[in-house]
Amino acid sequence: MMKGIFSRLNAASQQASINVEDLGDGITAYRLHSRWTRMLGFEVSFYRVGDLLVDTGFAHARPLVLQALEGGAISAICCTHHHEDHTGNVVALAERHGCPVFVFQPQFLDSEGLDNLLPYRRLFWGRPGDFAAEAMGSRIMGRHAELEVIPAPGHSQTHVALFEPVSRTVFVGDLYVAPGASAVMTYENPYLLADSLRRVAALEPRRMLTGHGIDARNPVDRLLAKARSIERAAARSCHLVEEGERPRAVVRRIFPKGQRKDRFLEWVTQGEFSRANFVRAVVKHGREGD
Ligand SMILES: [Zn+2]
């Protein structure tokens, strides 16, 4: 009871809101906003496909999420990846609907920063809480829907794309947050990300729905353009570093626009998210065979 009251007060103080939209083909979009998403300039989105849930949004919006999903059976929660802005309500929803939670490679659940969330992540999204997840196989069957699981590591080791074959809709989580090469988190591998973008493009999806609000029809060209842009920026970064440039100087050459926003995000996230991380990551991981 107290927990519920606290949770509602918290949602109000975060100025959290939810929009529910019927997208057709048995798919519903849930779009979450808060004071922080407004500052960052994007929403956090999760989806329902028949009786399967794709992601759950962030913990600060919990009462709104639980209310929006009241009255319909959910057979399984399918996580595109384990980050707290998408798994924030897994525990509460699994308990309420008595359903399993599926994560790809759940052995990585306690890594990549989730075991020790930095202050900005707790502030923006809240704590997801510990949850038991079952390993995601190659397919998730609901009573009224089915999703094919496409491994899509890069943004995280747990990342997948979920493909609904009847409408040819693909749910890509954070595989596609923005066009082109961009800032990454410390744990990311841009080469794997580019490979994953190509793998998803090969499905020839008719619609792409992302974890932060993008709804794109016929997304193949966009996916391939992002993969190419990452590979070009990676090759150029490695070349400049080999010539003795420091990552910060490489960033100025590779990403001439938006320097101030990037430095601000780097400061807020204590260096966990930045374009300099992109340069460090491509140097660290290298393209196999290079
Ligand atoms: Zn993420």
Side-chain angles (χ1 to χ4, degrees), residues 37 43 67 70 91 117 149 155 163 190 257 263:
T37 66
E43 67 181 46
Q67 197 177 20
E70 207 124 85
V91 177
L117 279 187
V149 176
H155 175 68
F163 184 59
K257 287 184 188 159
R263 293 303 289 268

Side-chain angles (χ1 to χ4, degrees), residues 25 29 45 64 81 84 98 110 135 144 155 161 223 230 247 258 278 282 285:
D25 296 318
S45 337
L64 306 175
H81 64 301
E84 70 284 2
D110 288 331
H144 311 296
H155 175 68
L223 289 160
I230 289 171
F278 175 91
V282 294
H285 294 289

